[in-house]
Amino acid sequence: MCVAVPGKVIETDGNKAIIEVGNVKREIYIHLVPEVSLGQYVLVHAGCAIQIVDEEEAKQTLEIIKELIEDEVY
């Protein structure tokens, strides 16, 4: 299964960006969405931003992911 996770762009540098997902920051590639701006949310898959997404949609998705993690039984 492939999963793309929304992250907020907090820094850009050429074809790379730093995104934030919760308390985690990661460097990603943004060459597929070069028009992305600081503060926007992107869907990230395999280290690459593949699409710019609406902030509300991103927050709803992150909330669902958070709920799934909290409900996980080991």
Side-chain angles (χ1 to χ4, degrees):
M1 174 177 20
C2 298
V3 177
V5 177
K8 184 176 183 177
V9 177
I10 59 171
E11 187 178 319
T12 61
D13 182 19
N15 284 332
K16 294 182 180 181
I18 303 292
I19 60 156
E20 188 172 51
V21 179
N23 297 340
V24 178
K25 295 178 182 161
R26 293 281 186 249
E27 183 177 72
I28 63 164
Y29 290 98
I30 56 171
H31 59 282
L32 297 175
V33 288
E35 68 278 11
V36 71
S37 300
L38 294 178
Q40 287 187 304
Y41 284 80
V42 292
L43 278 181
V44 179
H45 175 67
C48 294
I50 58 173
Q51 179 180 344
I52 297 171
V53 293
D54 175 74
E55 181 176 355
E56 186 60 33
E57 180 182 344
K59 288 181 178 181
Q60 288 175 358
T61 301
L62 290 169
E63 186 60 35
I64 291 168
I65 292 170
K66 181 180 174 185
E67 289 174 15
L68 289 171
I69 291 169
E70 289 172 351
D71 291 342
E72 184 67 27
V73 177
Y74 290 94

